[in-house]
Amino acid sequence: MTCILVVGLSRSGKDAVANYITQRHDFQKFDFNDVVVEELRRRRLQVTKPNLESVRAELLKAEGQASIARTVMKKTPRNERIILVGLRSLPEMKEVRLVFPDVIVVRVDSDEEKRFGRKDRSENISREQFYDRDENDLYDGGLSRVFDSADYVLDNNSGIAPLYGKIEEFLSKKGLD
């Protein structure tokens, strides 16, 4: 079956894309962050961006760079239309390709300032820290190489209605509408 992987930097609009496709086109969504959220709840920690990042790093260090992807892949049905979101590294990408070799990679792009403006109020983070996190995501885990493998790029700089139109155009081009 069809598997779409939505990738992008923090606050680029990945969830907006995945949620739209899930709600309108009969896809099941699997979020890599749900694995970390489950661990936070198990530890009785608040679900915040800093806690997500910290526990994610702990899990990856303890269980391997593709461990979260392996957990998600175990839960993902093979005979459904699937959309994945939250992948952040090349090892995770390799794990997804083992299960879904024909995965369609969609990159969501958005300007730095727009993304920074979308951050949650609970994220007490400076512009410099926000952009440093981008650099870490891109180069430490190989997310830039995942971005380079994108089959389609959605620009998310013009608002939600234009984004939805671009999603429909992508799905139509791929015969997934």
Side-chain angles (χ1 to χ4, degrees), residues 21-75:
I21 293 172
T22 299
Q23 292 165 2
R24 302 263 181 160
H25 294 280
D26 195 31
F27 276 74
Q28 279 188 282
K29 178 183 171 188
F30 292 85
D31 190 332
F32 284 48
N33 288 326
D34 288 347
V35 173
V36 184
V37 168
E38 287 175 24
E39 182 63 19
L40 285 170
R41 290 190 175 129
R42 190 185 69 72
R43 295 180 187 189
R44 298 177 189 222
L45 295 171
Q46 188 176 3
V47 179
T48 64
K49 190 79 166 174
N51 285 348
L52 281 166
E53 290 175 358
S54 174
V55 170
R56 184 184 212 307
E58 283 179 36
L59 290 173
L60 296 177
K61 184 176 182 182
E63 301 173 18
Q65 291 298 308
S67 59
I68 293 171
R70 275 193 296 279
T71 301
V72 172
M73 292 300 97
K74 287 177 188 171
K75 297 177 181 182

Side-chain angles (χ1 to χ4, degrees), residues 14-159:
K14 300 178 297 291
D15 281 312
V17 171
N19 291 342
Y20 179 87
I21 293 172
T22 299
Q23 292 165 2
R24 302 263 181 160
H25 294 280
D26 195 31
F27 276 74
Q28 279 188 282
K29 178 183 171 188
F30 292 85
D31 190 332
F32 284 48
N33 288 326
D34 288 347
V35 173
V36 184
V37 168
E38 287 175 24
E39 182 63 19
L40 285 170
R41 290 190 175 129
R42 190 185 69 72
R43 295 180 187 189
R44 298 177 189 222
L45 295 171
Q46 188 176 3
V47 179
T48 64
K49 190 79 166 174
N51 285 348
L52 281 166
E53 290 175 358
S54 174
V55 170
R56 184 184 212 307
E58 283 179 36
L59 290 173
L60 296 177
K61 184 176 182 182
E63 301 173 18
Q65 291 298 308
S67 59
I68 293 171
R70 275 193 296 279
T71 301
V72 172
M73 292 300 97
K74 287 177 188 171
K75 297 177 181 182
T76 307
R78 306 306 188 254
N79 58 346
E80 302 287 333
R81 288 165 46 121
I82 302 299
I83 190 155
L84 302 171
V85 67
L87 178 141
R88 296 196 25 206
S89 72
L90 192 56
E92 290 176 329
M93 181 70 199
K94 289 178 181 177
E95 194 69 30
V96 169
R97 286 201 188 274
L98 288 174
V99 177
F100 297 106
D102 297 327
V103 63
I104 300 167
V105 181
V106 176
R107 186 178 82 219
V108 183
D109 284 348
S110 188
D111 295 338
E112 288 179 340
E113 281 302 309
K114 287 193 186 296
R115 290 186 307 101
F116 184 76
R118 293 177 188 143
K119 72 178 178 59
D120 190 277
R121 289 181 183 165
S122 69
E123 271 185 274
N124 190 15
I125 187 171
S126 70
R127 274 185 169 73
E128 183 179 1
Q129 291 168 319
F130 187 83
Y131 301 139
D132 284 348
R133 185 172 64 195
D134 288 351
E135 293 297 312
N136 289 336
D137 286 346
L138 286 168
Y139 302 109
D140 290 350
L143 188 57
S144 64
R145 291 179 55 200
V146 173
F147 283 9
D148 291 343
S149 74
D151 300 297
Y152 203 86
V153 178
L154 293 171
D155 177 85
N156 184 21
N157 287 303
S158 303

